[in-house]
Structures are given as structure tokens and as C-alpha cells.
Amino acid sequence: MAISGGTAARVEEKLFQNRYLVDAGRPHIKVTPHAVPSDALVALTKVCPAGCYAFNDSGQVEIIPDGCMECGTCRVIAELSGDIEWNYPRGGYGVLFKFG
Ligand code: SF4
């Protein structure tokens, strides 16, 4: 059976429906300083649905949590190992889900 494109939206299009209120200068997720990224940190560059994790020019993993949707995936993968520090944003900040 063929799969039709129909009206199904791509994930990127659905994420675009969300809005974020950035708590400037107070990131709610921090990456522990490291020289060489652990396997868990490397994995975060691939699994974060919002693409918050990326390698910098020195090969270390950084996070820009502005588009974080608080799914908790990175928390499950890398918090217990100490690779990241994860907190919810302060009240009033963070993702605002829309249903467009
Ligand atoms: S909580 Fe989810 S969306 Fe936010 S940084 Fe972690 S993996 Fe990405």
C-alpha cells in the first residue's frame, strides 16, 4: 500500500507551531565542561528533536536551549552520568505549545 503525503505535516513544520519565551542569560540546561565529549553527549547531537545540541569548532558539545520543548530525552540519556545539568525553565519561560 502506498503512503500518501496527504496533509501530514513534517516534524519541523509542527515544531514551528510552538513558541518560546527565552530566559536570557539563564539557560535551564547546561553541559558539563569537557575536553572530549562522552558517548552520551555525542548522542544528544542526534536525538534532541529540537536540535539544541551541536559540536563547537573545538569538537565539544554545546547546547543552545532556546528551542527546547522539555521532552526530557537528554535528561534520560545524560543527566545521571553528570554530562548535563537539567532543570525546568523558570515559571513563565520556556516552551508554549500551540495546537495549529
Ligand atoms: S529536553 Fe528534549 S528538546 Fe529539550 S534539549 Fe533535551 S532533548 Fe532537546
Side-chain angles (χ1 to χ4, degrees):
M1 183 173 126
I3 298 175
S4 166
T7 58
R10 294 165 45 96
V11 170
E12 290 82 359
E13 293 168 345
K14 291 182 176 179
L15 291 176
F16 188 69
Q17 300 295 326
N18 300 328
R19 294 293 177 267
Y20 307 88
L21 186 57
V22 176
D23 196 358
R26 299 186 64 160
H28 67 284
I29 304 171
K30 296 176 184 171
V31 173
T32 302
H34 55 278
V36 177
S38 66
D39 290 345
L41 286 176
V42 172
L44 298 186
T45 66
K46 298 178 171 36
V47 301
C48 173
C52 293
Y53 292 89
F55 291 99
N56 64 18
D57 292 340
S58 301
Q60 295 148 342
V61 173
E62 295 181 335
I63 181 171
I64 299 176
D66 295 357
C68 171
M69 63 185 80
E70 301 166 28
C71 71
T73 302
C74 61
R75 187 176 196 179
V76 170
I77 292 175
E79 187 182 40
L80 280 180
S81 60
D83 288 307
I84 64 169
E85 178 186 326
W86 199 103
N87 293 286
Y88 282 106
R90 290 193 300 158
Y93 292 95
V95 66
L96 171 65
F97 290 104
K98 296 177 71 176
F99 301 95

